[in-house]
Amino acid sequence: MMLASRVTQACSRHSTQLRRGLLSSSKRSMSAFLAEYDAHVAERAAMAGGIGIAPKPLDASQTSSVIEELKADSGNERLLELLVHRIPPGVDEAAYVKATWLSALAMGKESHPSISRVYAVELLGTMQGGYNVGTLVSLLKDPETEIAESAAKQLSKTLLVFDAFYDVEAAAKEGCAPAQSVMESWANADWYLAKPEVPETMTATVFKVTGETNTDDLSPAQDAWSRPDIPLHGLAMLKNTREGIVPEVDGEIGPLKQMEELKAKGYPLAYVGDVVGTGSSRKSATNSVLWHMGDDIPYVPNMRAGGLCLGGKIAPIFFNTMEDSGSLPIELEVGDMNMGDVITVHPHEGKVTREDGSVLTEFELKTNVILDEVRAGGRIPLIIGRGLTSKARLSLGQGEAVDDIFSMPAPPSDIKPKGFTLAQKMVGKACGMQEGEGVVPGQYCEPKMTTVGSQDTTGPMTRDELKALACLGFSADLVMQSFCHTAAYPKPVDVVTHHTLPDFIMTRGGVSLRPGDGIIHSWLNRMLLPDTVGTGGDSHTRFPIGISFPAGSGLVAFGAATGIMPLDMPESVLVRFSGEMQRGITLRDLVQAIPYQALQEGLLTTEKKGKKNIFSGKILEIEGLPTLKCEQAFELSDASAERSAAGCTIKLDKEPIIEYLNSNVVMLKWMIAEGYGDVRTLERRIARMQEWLANPVLMEADPEAEYAAVIDIDLNELKEPVLALPNDPDASALLSDYSGTKVDEVFIGSCMTNIGHFRAAGKLLTNLAKPLPTRLWIAPPTKMDEAQLIEEGYYSTFGVAGARTEMPGCSLCMGNQARVAPGCTTVSTSTRNFPNRLGQGADVFLASAELAAIASIEGELPTVEKYLEYMDKVNATAADTYRYLNFDELPEFVKSADTVEISAEMMDAAKRLSAE
């Protein structure tokens, strides 16, 4: 079968019939819309060297055209087919147009020869939730029995009803029989039981990717602009040649024919890898895998679910995103699986067999709930549906238990731990537990999401997920959208996003930044509340205060829409620093000292087969550096993403957090004065900060808390910089091991930097004796940093030195905008250095801003002695260099903040929320 979506077979079939003249009506064949649509279908069919991809779903304007032409040409089967199958469900703009017309037909306000009232009700029932629900609820009382019963049937399988549940409940209590049947159907979980059970056996052909697959391999940063267009973006999956993978066009189009040849064996493909899904939290990576290896979703164009993902190690965020998509991810031994093997997975028995029936390997599913998730179509619909069933049962007086139908998460052990870690207490508080109590490892919970972040290369997908969830208002206390990944070099599609996404976020109560403002984390961190829990659609959403569990765009949308997040509480690893920082050592060296020490202790390996990683899927809890500024603490928490940790906490004293929040209150008031929205959300967050400042109490881990491992790092023994070696942020070595390595390009920027790093670089670059032998990139994290550096004269220094200054934002870090030269050697302060991330075939060392600046001057990695000579100059003015942006000390910000008053309503809301 060609790679064109099976969802669009009907469209393609009718297109073929049109070309052959098999549609009898000349009026139909001359449809203006269909002529335009056929051109689009033909254009997409010619892509990827003629292999073709599915046409796009219809937008609102196209949907209007389809409806208007259907009114004039009632028998046109192609137009009807498009109306039924090619319009996204939920609260998409096109869904609004579709639901409006179908509602008019269903309620008898309009009529159409091809769509009866009953059929209109049935079509409304395919739209999942949102604009269709109100009509279906009202039709429960329709005088025509057939209509009322049909509406009840459709509602009984609709999960995204939200507050409309209470309308159905009220109608049932008033004696409305169809409404009563809906309540009973929800209580019986008919929506779930009508779905097929996960089969006893699942036969598939192995698509083996050896070594490590990171999400940049599956969803390349350079192709981020196409992520919302899943079939188009799927062309880039595995586009770079590697062992066993044969792209159609190296560096452009992935192994499409190779996958088609394997599918010719008659089975779906199973994605198999040694290490799968490390790196960024991109649902686009999951979307691409499922586009090639998943199953169509009825009435949802260009989306697929299901499929098998088998890995020796599956990165936690990727694993969760596969769960959310209805896939079955399994960690197991894959060494004996080879490209093209036909295998049979026995999900209930926990084994994989060969074609001859012999056992290849055995496994245990990660949770006892995962088969329910697959049956339900994903973890998110299972959670929503299970909650709906529970609520309906409670309303009907049956109790809220649902364990007679569903496999419930395993309860926590009856044995209470001797003590709780800091993370366990934070999550416990977010789950409403009593003070001092915590969530134990392995316990399923749904913590409240106090802060949710979304950035621009995942934002359009999050928007689509929010539409699919029928979300018209956020339940999370603060949701923020940034534009830091695309602002500097926007493509036309990015410009559209810049103009449309802010309104989408703010009309739902979220906060939107503006293109050019800078990096999401540098802003979002300033909106945090101590000891609270959040998430974000970027793997580096790692809070310096509180804790974040980053996720793919689907789960981020769920957290924003519902205000909670499903979580199987991970174990924690304690990293404990002691001693004093030595001459020339920076925070970035402490960051890299964590994997370096784990490598020395055998808790981490860089070999991909049989990889060992003590941090993977666990919470990294850091102690021993209590006086760090919050900006410094973020360097440590940020890098927990590179360890594949689920989250990170840092134990800080109250003083740096008080200083940070006092500054941030002024910044948020300045945002209101500058016209940022949503104003009510910003006011509420300011009020909550002030509420905490009035009684600044921090949680602490219990002395008896237990950890999966404890790693002690003695700062007295760390006497030289630690580098991350090219192509693996875990691979670590001392500077002395690589001194003299020639350097071509240097990047100082990313969320791992703050204003002090740029002052340090500027002082090192002052009064150079010779031109830089390297290409130096400078990109501050926010526009406030940029303005301050300009005011202090550092931009003049950068310019004289020949550095290339970039717009505040992510710049080279993600690799989707400007890139370093192919094959060059680079020293970078960015987050990670996977192959081809910053530049095609580039070798990238990760290091501190100070070492990066020195390498740019020397044209090579210096000796330790040379490095320390430079650092002595920096440290001589350390008090001036490492000053952070305290907005309550900057007159222009204070002046603006003084014009903003927080309403009594928001102050009351803050008190109420703080008390919960």
Side-chain angles (χ1 to χ4, degrees):
M1 181 185 293
M2 301 294 282
L3 283 180
S5 169
R6 295 188 293 277
V7 168
T8 63
Q9 286 185 54
C11 300
S12 300
R13 182 174 66 251
H14 288 301
S15 179
T16 302
Q17 290 173 340
L18 180 65
R19 289 193 294 271
R20 294 176 179 173
L22 296 181
L23 293 177
S24 57
S25 171
S26 60
K27 181 178 180 181
R28 295 172 197 160
S29 66
M30 295 185 65
S31 158
F33 170 76
L34 288 178
E36 180 180 318
Y37 185 72
D38 285 338
H40 169 68
V41 172
E43 178 186 10
R44 302 274 281 196
M47 297 180 74
I51 291 177
I53 60 173
K56 292 181 180 180
L58 302 185
D59 61 23
S61 175
Q62 291 173 315
T63 302
S64 295
S65 296
V66 166
I67 291 171
E68 290 307 310
E69 292 198 11
L70 259 177
K71 290 178 179 180
D73 186 7
S74 60
N76 194 313
E77 295 179 7
R78 288 195 64 213
L79 291 171
L80 184 59
E81 186 82 24
L82 292 172
L83 178 74
V84 173
H85 292 290
R86 299 301 298 165
I87 297 170
V91 293
D92 184 89
E93 292 86 349
Y96 177 79
V97 177
K98 177 179 177 177
T100 300
W101 189 50
L102 290 177
S103 293
L105 294 172
M107 300 180 78
K109 296 178 180 179
E110 293 188 33
S111 62
H112 190 275
S114 297
I115 306 176
S116 66
R117 287 190 70 195
V118 171
Y119 188 33
V121 173
E122 291 173 356
L123 292 181
L124 283 169
T126 67
M127 298 185 68
Q128 296 189 352
Y131 301 126
N132 63 330
V133 171
T135 299
L136 292 174
V137 172
S138 66
L139 289 174
L140 293 173
K141 297 181 179 180
D142 194 273
E144 290 190 30
T145 301
E146 185 181 17
I147 296 297
E149 290 179 349
S150 180
K153 181 179 179 181
Q154 302 311 315
L155 275 172
S156 69
K157 59 186 179 184
T158 300
L159 303 182
L160 302 175
V161 294
F162 301 113
D163 287 346
F165 171 88
Y166 301 105
D167 298 325
V168 178
E169 181 185 48
K173 290 180 178 179
E174 292 168 1
C176 176
Q180 181 68 21
S181 74
V182 174
M183 294 294 291
E184 291 173 355
S185 179
W186 283 339
N188 294 334
D190 291 339
W191 64 269
Y192 174 78
L193 296 175
K195 298 176 181 290
E197 293 185 39
V198 176
E200 293 294 324
T201 60
M202 304 169 72
T203 301
T205 300
V206 170
F207 183 81
K208 179 73 174 285
V209 185
T210 59
E212 180 176 17
T213 312
N214 62 64
T215 49
D216 214 47
D217 296 319
L218 303 172
S219 172
Q222 309 97 293
D223 299 271
W225 59 273
S226 65
R227 285 175 181 166
D229 188 344
I230 293 171
L232 179 59
H233 190 67
L235 297 178
M237 186 180 90
L238 297 172
K239 68 179 184 178
N240 294 309
T241 298
R242 57 188 292 166
E243 181 184 354
I245 302 299
V246 186
E248 291 300 300
V249 181
D250 188 29
E252 295 182 22
I253 301 175
L256 306 185
K257 289 180 181 176
Q258 185 179 13
M259 287 188 284
E260 287 303 294
E261 289 170 359
L262 293 173
K263 289 179 185 178
K265 294 190 175 189
Y267 304 107
L269 301 185
Y271 195 98
V272 180
D274 296 308
V275 180
V276 182
T278 55
S280 302
S281 55
R282 301 175 185 173
K283 193 183 180 192
S284 52
T286 292
N287 287 341
S288 291
V289 172
L290 297 187
W291 182 250
H292 296 300
M293 304 178 193
D295 304 311
D296 293 322
I297 307 173
Y299 306 105
V300 183
N302 293 13
M303 286 280 291
R304 288 180 180 159
L308 285 167
C309 178
L310 312 178
K313 177 68 70 175
I314 303 177
I317 297 178
F318 189 77
F319 191 104
N320 292 338
T321 308
M322 295 297 277
E323 280 186 278
D324 297 337
S325 302
S327 182
L328 179 55
I330 304 173
E331 286 191 338
L332 74 178
E333 176 55 51
V334 299
D336 291 333
M337 298 183 193
N338 299 301
M339 183 76 82
D341 287 352
V342 174
I343 60 171
T344 298
V345 176
H346 303 253
H348 300 274
E349 296 182 56
K351 66 181 182 181
V352 179
T353 56
R354 302 180 177 88
E355 285 187 274
D356 63 7
S358 62
V359 175
L360 180 65
T361 188
E362 296 181 335
F363 61 85
E364 290 186 9
L365 295 174
K366 182 179 178 182
T367 75
N368 63 323
V369 180
I370 199 165
L371 295 183
D372 283 12
E373 295 170 351
V374 174
R375 184 178 184 181
R379 181 168 58 159
I380 289 173
L382 176 64
I383 293 169
I384 294 173
R386 200 169 56 197
L388 182 62
T389 293
S390 179
K391 194 186 327 186
R393 288 185 170 190
L394 197 61
S395 175
L396 295 174
Q398 300 173 7
E400 59 184 350
V402 293
D403 55 1
D404 58 319
I405 292 176
F406 301 102
S407 298
M408 301 304 293
S413 171
D414 292 334
I415 303 174
K416 185 177 179 180
K418 295 178 181 179
F420 295 102
T421 74
L422 179 56
Q424 290 163 6
K425 287 186 175 182
M426 288 178 181
V427 175
K429 177 186 175 184
C431 293
M433 299 176 74
Q434 293 183 354
E435 184 177 349
E437 294 292 305
V439 177
V440 299
Q443 181 178 348
Y444 176 81
C445 58
E446 294 180 357
K448 182 186 300 182
M449 293 292 101
T450 302
T451 308
V452 177
S454 171
Q455 48 97 337
D456 41 335
T457 60
T458 60
M461 292 187 297
T462 302
R463 173 199 60 203
D464 294 345
E465 299 278 1
L466 287 164
K467 290 178 181 178
L469 285 169
C471 174
L472 295 173
F474 296 131
S475 295
D477 188 49
L478 185 145
V479 178
M480 193 200 78
Q481 175 67 50
S482 79
F483 298 92
C484 48
H485 292 72
T486 60
Y489 303 95
K491 294 179 172 60
V493 68
D494 298 324
V495 174
V496 173
T497 298
H498 296 169
H499 283 96
T500 58
L501 193 53
D503 283 344
F504 180 90
I505 295 296
M506 288 189 289
T507 55
R508 284 160 174 78
V511 176
S512 179
L513 299 183
R514 300 163 182 170
D517 279 353
I519 298 174
I520 177 172
H521 316 296
S522 301
W523 284 81
L524 190 66
N525 288 348
R526 289 189 170 276
M527 301 180 186
L528 302 177
L529 296 171
D531 295 338
T532 57
V533 182
T535 187
D538 186 302
S539 59
H540 294 102
T541 310
R542 311 276 172 150
F543 298 164
I545 55 178
I547 188 170
S548 167
F549 296 95
S553 53
L555 195 53
V556 168
F558 180 79
T562 66
I564 62 169
M565 177 181 178
L567 179 69
D568 293 306
M569 187 67 187
E571 291 182 289
S572 291
V573 173
L574 176 64
V575 173
R576 190 165 48 200
F577 288 95
S578 62
E580 301 294 328
M581 288 181 66
Q582 301 298 295
R583 173 190 171 201
I585 298 301
T586 68
L587 255 295
R588 187 62 184 255
D589 298 315
L590 271 57
V591 164
Q592 207 63 35
I594 295 174
Y596 182 79
Q597 184 66 29
L599 286 165
Q600 310 309 306
E601 296 183 17
L603 298 172
L604 176 68
T605 61
T606 54
E607 175 65 32
K608 305 311 174 186
K609 291 185 178 181
K611 182 174 176 62
K612 183 185 294 185
N613 182 355
I614 190 62
F615 307 108
S616 181
K618 297 182 177 67
I619 298 170
L620 180 56
E621 305 207 33
I622 299 174
E623 294 182 0
L625 302 167
T627 61
L628 290 181
K629 303 293 187 182
C630 291
E631 292 91 339
Q632 294 175 308
F634 181 60
E635 280 189 70
L636 289 162
S637 63
D638 194 10
S640 66
E642 275 56 76
R643 312 287 80 83
S644 292
C648 181
T649 66
I650 301 181
K651 181 181 179 181
L652 295 177
D653 289 341
K654 286 189 294 186
E655 287 71 22
I657 297 177
I658 291 170
E659 177 184 345
Y660 197 51
L661 263 62
N662 279 324
S663 170
N664 297 342
V665 164
V666 170
M667 192 201 80
L668 292 182
K669 286 184 175 182
W670 168 83
M671 289 180 69
I672 293 173
E674 290 292 306
Y676 285 85
D678 175 83
V679 172
R680 288 171 58 85
T681 298
L682 288 169
E683 283 189 354
R684 188 170 61 247
R685 184 48 52 98
I686 292 168
R688 293 193 68 179
M689 288 179 174
Q690 292 174 331
E691 183 75 11
W692 185 87
L693 286 166
N695 182 29
V697 176
L698 291 173
M699 294 180 177
E700 292 187 13
D702 293 327
E704 303 85 3
E706 297 178 355
Y707 301 88
V710 177
I711 299 174
D712 285 299
I713 299 176
D714 185 352
L715 296 177
N716 295 319
E717 297 178 2
L718 185 60
K719 300 181 183 296
E720 60 176 290
V722 189
L723 305 171
L725 304 181
N727 300 327
D728 189 341
D730 279 336
S732 308
L734 300 176
L735 173 60
S736 56
D737 296 327
Y738 286 85
S739 296
T741 301
K742 184 179 181 299
V743 174
D744 304 301
E745 303 202 31
V746 171
F747 171 55
I748 301 177
S750 89
C751 54
M752 289 291 286
T753 60
N754 56 60
I755 195 168
H757 297 131
F758 295 90
R759 289 199 190 98
K763 290 182 177 181
L764 288 166
L765 292 167
T766 300
N767 300 322
L768 293 177
K770 59 181 180 179
L772 290 178
T774 57
R775 188 185 198 193
L776 174 60
W777 304 70
I778 299 286
T782 72
K783 67 178 182 180
M784 295 85 79
D785 295 293
E786 178 188 57
Q788 189 67 24
L789 289 167
I790 290 172
E791 184 176 316
E792 295 177 12
Y794 285 99
Y795 262 61
S796 174
T797 300
F798 298 147
V800 170
R804 172 173 172 167
T805 52
E806 295 268 293
M807 175 187 287
C810 298
S811 187
L812 290 177
C813 181
M814 183 179 168
N816 67 315
Q817 301 181 85
R819 291 167 67 77
V820 299
C824 74
T825 297
T826 300
V827 175
S828 175
T829 63
S830 54
T831 54
R832 49 177 63 116
N833 59 347
F834 293 132
N836 307 310
R837 183 178 175 93
L838 269 66
Q840 205 68 14
D843 283 335
V844 181
F845 291 87
L846 301 180
S848 67
E850 293 84 351
L851 178 53
I854 294 166
S856 75
I857 297 168
E858 293 292 317
E860 64 181 21
L861 288 173
T863 63
V864 174
E865 293 72 24
K866 175 67 70 174
Y867 166 80
L868 291 174
E869 287 178 18
Y870 277 106
M871 286 302 293
D872 286 344
K873 298 176 184 176
V874 173
N875 289 330
T877 58
D880 173 70
T881 301
Y882 299 108
R883 289 178 290 114
Y884 299 97
L885 282 181
N886 283 346
F887 295 104
D888 54 334
E889 298 174 1
L890 298 176
E892 63 271 30
F893 285 88
V894 173
K895 183 178 179 181
S896 293
D898 286 344
T899 66
V900 175
E901 291 189 12
I902 307 304
S903 67
E905 178 189 359
M906 289 300 105
M907 294 299 293
D908 289 342
K911 287 184 173 66
R912 185 176 65 254
L913 289 167
S914 298
E916 290 181 356

